[in-house]
Amino acid sequence: MTAPFYGPHMNRAAPATMNQLKYLLAITALAITTSFVQAHVATAQAPPNSPNIVLILSDDIGVECLGCYGSEQYDTPNLDRLAASGMRFENAHAQPICTPSRVQLMTGIYNNENYLRFGVLDPASTTFANELRGSGYATAIAGKWQLSGGFDGPRRFGFDHYCLWQLTRRPSRYPNPGLEIDGIERDFKNGEFGPDIVSQYLVDFIEKQTNDKPDQPFLVYYPMMMPHWPFVPTPDHPDWDPEMWKDAKNEPGGFKGPKYWDAMVRYTDKMVGKLLDSLEKNGVADSTLVIWTGDNGTYQSVTSQWHGEDYVGGKGKTTDNGTHVGLIARWPGVIEADCVSESLVDFSDLYPTLLDAAGVAPSNPALLSGKSLLPAFHGNPEKRGKDYIYCWYERDGIRDGASEHVRTDRYKLYSDARFYDTKSDLLEQNRLDGTELDEEVEKIRQTLQKALKHHRQKTLFYDEPLARRRSQVSR
């Protein structure tokens, strides 16, 4: 067990406040609980009627690329049918790039409280997989890792089975890929395509689990490699080359032009359909909660047609084209088919949602930043108590270089006082602060200002220990 690292914060000249003491106690409990959860995996049983859970995270695809969200350019029939049989969230936001989104999603905690640097998940963290495995779930992950930790990393973070790219190295992820599968590095040099292999690993896991242990619920986490660059021809494209990168040890750079973007989107959708079909084939579609989302906006080289206008990808930016993603949830018998939710969602909400759906109480609820989506699933989003979402973003975790903002579905307030109407000003080119605001908008701004102050206080509290932790945990 990694020792808690927050204790030294008590050596500050100013005495700790009661809230600070609560944070320190909670973090200590987190480390203890992580050890307890991992030690009791074998004997735990899931609560009765717990659903299977499939969480799919596509890589670098904004809301504008999905037909069910109004794309006028891309064909996404499988994501569209998922939305038609479940709930589509209109106001879901990721972080601007992948690691911040993944850390927030997996831990349920805002980045200002636990983010170290790009490509790292702190070994002291507890993930939703730790919690679910500790409660009796069979767990598997396949796709992109990029969170360090070596061969034991996925198991430490709650996954009994894995088939991953970029766990110990960075070879090709697409044609003739290199993967790490349950502790073994494997290279595929016979014209295979990486997404086919990792998706098949999960299909095989679902089939084996439903046949061998039908009474044990399973968790499948599919952080897809697609459609992140390199943008290359897929096996379904006329330009597919099974010899491509056959002799390459490391994944070549470049390939960021939009020529094959449409092919990448289509294949991403195909892989989603492959998992949905597997659930149907094994008779567990009706007892499975499926959630799909994207980890950030589309790459900036891609311009798409959305609602009659050009929409330029904004990956890496805190503007809406960098964070606004699709979020679709299907759970037959719980979520009404073909419905839309305006509920505000960020990635901290997925951890408590998965545990809530499974009937599992979080081991340290005081640490979680998110709010469960179950009230929204049941048609009562007002019971979530989430009036705004918050973002702390700095790619490499540099504490004094971060951007911070809070927002409603429409208005966004940054820590440097910039205030925008994102509905009429997508790229945030016209500041509202310094202008005369009507009474209603000014009230919203003041409410957001109070919320931002709350999170800024947490940021300041975590600055010193997280800066220290960054020097202790390597990639």
Side-chain angles (χ1 to χ4, degrees), residues 291-306:
I291 297 178
W292 177 92
T293 189
D295 71 344
N296 49 247
T298 307
Y299 195 68
Q300 295 179 32
S301 66
V302 177
T303 299
S304 305
Q305 284 294 307
W306 193 49

Side-chain angles (χ1 to χ4, degrees), residues 90-94 110 317-325 344-346 386-391 404-414 419-426 428 444 447-449 451-452 455:
E90 290 288 345
N91 294 304
H93 287 265
Y110 283 138
K317 298 181 178 181
T318 58
T319 46
D320 275 26
N321 59 339
T323 66
H324 191 192
V325 293
L344 278 168
V345 187
D346 61 43
K386 187 145 187 167
D387 300 322
Y388 68 88
I389 55 180
Y390 165 74
C391 173
E404 288 185 79
H405 70 256
V406 291
R407 64 169 300 156
T408 65
D409 61 332
R410 178 170 183 173
Y411 293 100
K412 183 187 294 186
L413 177 67
Y414 285 86
F419 186 50
Y420 297 102
D421 179 350
T422 65
K423 295 293 185 185
S424 62
D425 184 18
L426 175 72
E428 300 175 9
I444 292 172
T447 299
L448 290 177
Q449 192 170 38
L452 187 59
H455 288 287

Side-chain angles (χ1 to χ4, degrees), residues 68 88 96 102 202 232 257 313 328 369-370 378 389 393 400 424 443:
C68 55
R88 187 178 81 245
R102 291 157 198 269
L202 294 177
V232 297
I328 304 168
S369 305
H378 290 290
I389 55 180
Y393 171 64
D400 60 0
S424 62
K443 185 177 179 180

Side-chain angles (χ1 to χ4, degrees), residues 63-320:
V63 69
E64 78 280 8
C65 295
L66 282 72
C68 55
Y69 278 92
S71 171
E72 301 168 2
Q73 188 169 349
Y74 308 109
D75 189 21
T76 56
N78 293 296
L79 287 165
D80 295 351
R81 70 169 162 127
L82 184 66
S85 59
M87 177 175 285
R88 187 178 81 245
F89 287 84
E90 290 288 345
N91 294 304
H93 287 265
Q95 296 293 92
I97 60 171
C98 52
T99 301
S101 287
R102 291 157 198 269
V103 169
Q104 187 167 307
L105 181 154
M106 293 177 74
T107 66
I109 299 172
Y110 283 138
N111 288 163
N112 65 326
E113 299 180 43
N114 71 352
Y115 184 76
L116 297 184
R117 63 165 64 83
F118 185 83
V120 171
L121 176 57
D122 192 324
S125 297
T126 294
T127 72
F128 61 77
N130 287 127
E131 301 263 32
L132 292 173
R133 183 178 68 177
S135 299
Y137 271 71
T139 60
I141 180 174
K144 172 181 172 180
W145 182 248
Q146 201 184 65
L147 295 170
S148 299
F151 284 127
D152 190 51
R155 295 191 179 103
R156 179 191 302 153
F157 291 119
F159 299 100
D160 289 322
H161 308 279
Y162 66 80
C163 176
L164 295 166
W165 172 79
Q166 205 182 359
L167 177 61
T168 62
R169 54 194 177 137
R170 188 170 176 149
S172 168
R173 79 189 82 181
Y174 292 138
N176 299 295
L179 303 170
E180 285 74 66
I181 303 177
D182 294 322
I184 300 173
E185 290 183 354
R186 293 193 57 188
D187 294 308
F188 298 84
K189 298 296 183 181
N190 295 305
E192 296 93 342
F193 193 58
D196 291 334
I197 298 170
V198 298
S199 60
Q200 188 61 45
Y201 181 92
L202 294 177
V203 167
D204 292 343
F205 170 80
I206 292 170
E207 182 175 3
K208 180 174 176 56
Q209 184 65 27
T210 53
N211 287 335
D212 295 353
K213 297 182 179 180
D215 295 329
Q216 182 186 24
F218 60 78
L219 164 70
V220 162
Y221 179 34
Y222 183 21
M224 303 180 75
M225 299 179 287
M226 299 191 77
H228 191 290
W229 60 266
F231 304 140
V232 297
T234 69
D236 290 347
H237 194 278
D239 293 344
W240 164 247
D241 178 9
E243 299 295 314
M244 188 176 186
W245 300 344
K246 201 167 190 176
D247 299 323
K249 181 178 180 181
N250 298 313
E251 183 176 71
F255 298 89
K256 298 179 180 180
K259 180 178 180 180
Y260 296 113
W261 175 250
D262 180 79
M264 299 291 283
V265 172
R266 288 173 181 270
Y267 217 87
T268 298
D269 182 79
K270 179 180 178 179
M271 295 298 96
V272 173
K274 186 175 178 178
L275 256 65
L276 297 181
D277 291 344
S278 175
L279 297 174
E280 294 283 355
K281 177 183 176 182
N282 288 284
V284 293
D286 288 345
S287 57
T288 301
L289 167 61
V290 178
I291 297 178
W292 177 92
T293 189
D295 71 344
N296 49 247
T298 307
Y299 195 68
Q300 295 179 32
S301 66
V302 177
T303 299
S304 305
Q305 284 294 307
W306 193 49
H307 295 304
E309 297 183 358
D310 286 345
Y311 190 104
V312 180
K315 175 183 176 177
K317 298 181 178 181
T318 58
T319 46
D320 275 26

Side-chain angles (χ1 to χ4, degrees), residues 19-20 27 46 48 57 93 115 292 313 342 347 364 388 457 462:
N19 282 338
Q20 289 173 332
I27 289 294
L57 180 69
H93 287 265
Y115 184 76
W292 177 92
E342 301 291 338
F347 273 21
N364 282 288
Y388 68 88
Q457 289 173 340
Y462 284 107

Side-chain angles (χ1 to χ4, degrees), residues 1-6 21-37 124-126 131 362-367:
M1 178 181 69
T2 303
F5 56 91
Y6 293 84
L21 289 172
K22 288 180 179 178
Y23 280 124
L24 295 174
L25 291 172
I27 289 294
T28 302
L30 170 63
I32 294 171
T33 300
T34 302
S35 177
F36 178 85
V37 165
S125 297
T126 294
E131 301 263 32
S363 54
N364 282 288
L367 291 180

